[in-house]
């Protein structure tokens, strides 16, 4: 765009890093979109620990409703983070695992964690959700 | 919580990593909250390049309205990412710079970028915003 964009530290040398407005093809937006929604990062955290059935996820996150869990899992499947696997046998069981790409969210969540844990507590933080 | 949480790779050994429901004091949520909102990451990108006046930010991101820019800057100031500095002299000018903590978002955005840029393009990605 301008020569101000050349050689700056910590920003990728990729034309997508120079977009002048929000774009769904921006890699940062793709990742934030995959993580969006209440509970999403907690579900990914559970699946980073080990794979789960639907009911095991409900047990690990007891305040999460079936509807929201199903919605978040469908979003994570669409975002190529989660794989849904039917297990053979009866009763029918589905296991949820992270895809290899989903597993690569580990360091991303770590980076998000590290920055947030170093955020000084403001004098009066309004509780927002 | 259970011994499944001990020694897992890539997750911090911190009691906040074991919360069973969304919490505004979770470090991951603090970071995602700082980055939330359309345009927010683009404004941080501009300020990672160099500090800006309000009108320079408007020039760098021409499709962004004054109202949304003012809103996003106020949010980033509250989130301790951006510092607002009155410059002496006339006409009054305000410069926006990243705080040291805001500057530390560089590696976080890089981690978000890296994951998103490795996300395989799905067959038909619905355009959402």
């Amino acid at each position: 765009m301008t020569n101000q964009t050349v050689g700056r530290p910590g920003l990728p040398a990729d034309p997508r890093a120079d977009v002048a407005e929000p774009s769904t093809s921006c890699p940062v937006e793709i990742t934030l979109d995959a993580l969006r929604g209440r509970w999403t990062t907690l579900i990914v955290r559970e699946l980073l620990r080990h794979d789960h059935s639907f009911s095991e996820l409900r047990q690990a996150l007891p305040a999460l409703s079936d509807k929201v869990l199903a919605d978040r899992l469908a979003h994570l499947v669409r975002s190529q983070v989660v794989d849904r696997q039917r297990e053979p046998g009866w009763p029918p069981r589905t296991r949820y695992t992270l895809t290899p790409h989903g597993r690569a969210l580990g360091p991303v969540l770590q980076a998000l964690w590290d920055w947030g844990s170093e955020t000084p507590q403001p004098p009066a933080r309004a509780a927002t959700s």
Side-chain angles (χ1 to χ4, degrees), chain A:
Chain A
M1 223 169 164
T2 73
N3 58 10
Q4 292 167 345
T5 64
V6 176
R8 63 197 180 276
L11 288 169
D14 185 304
R16 287 173 301 177
D18 281 326
V19 292
E21 53 190 283
S23 155
T24 54
S25 65
C26 167
V28 170
E29 293 305 313
I30 289 171
T31 309
L32 290 176
D33 182 69
L35 296 177
R36 81 178 149 76
R38 240 168 102 81
W39 295 97
T40 305
T41 56
L42 293 184
I43 294 167
V44 173
R45 178 197 70 185
E46 288 306 314
L47 294 173
L48 277 168
R49 290 171 175 174
H50 54 84
D51 59 346
H52 285 70
S53 67
F54 192 90
S55 58
E56 285 165 351
L57 279 169
R58 286 280 283 111
Q59 233 174 319
L61 303 169
L64 173 56
S65 71
D66 280 2
K67 187 188 172 307
V68 172
L69 176 55
D71 177 79
R72 293 300 182 272
L73 285 169
H75 171 70
L76 288 167
V77 169
R78 279 195 307 275
S79 303
Q80 310 183 60
V81 171
V82 164
D83 212 11
R84 186 186 264 129
Q85 288 170 337
R86 289 279 152 81
E87 286 190 332
W90 189 262
R93 270 173 84 87
T94 306
R95 291 205 77 73
Y96 294 90
T97 61
L98 293 177
T99 63
H101 190 51
R103 195 151 288 282
L105 278 176
V108 178
L109 290 174
Q110 184 72 58
L112 293 168
W113 176 281
D114 289 345
W115 192 86
S117 65
E118 279 159 27
T119 302
Q121 211 60 3
R125 185 183 164 80
T128 57
S129 72

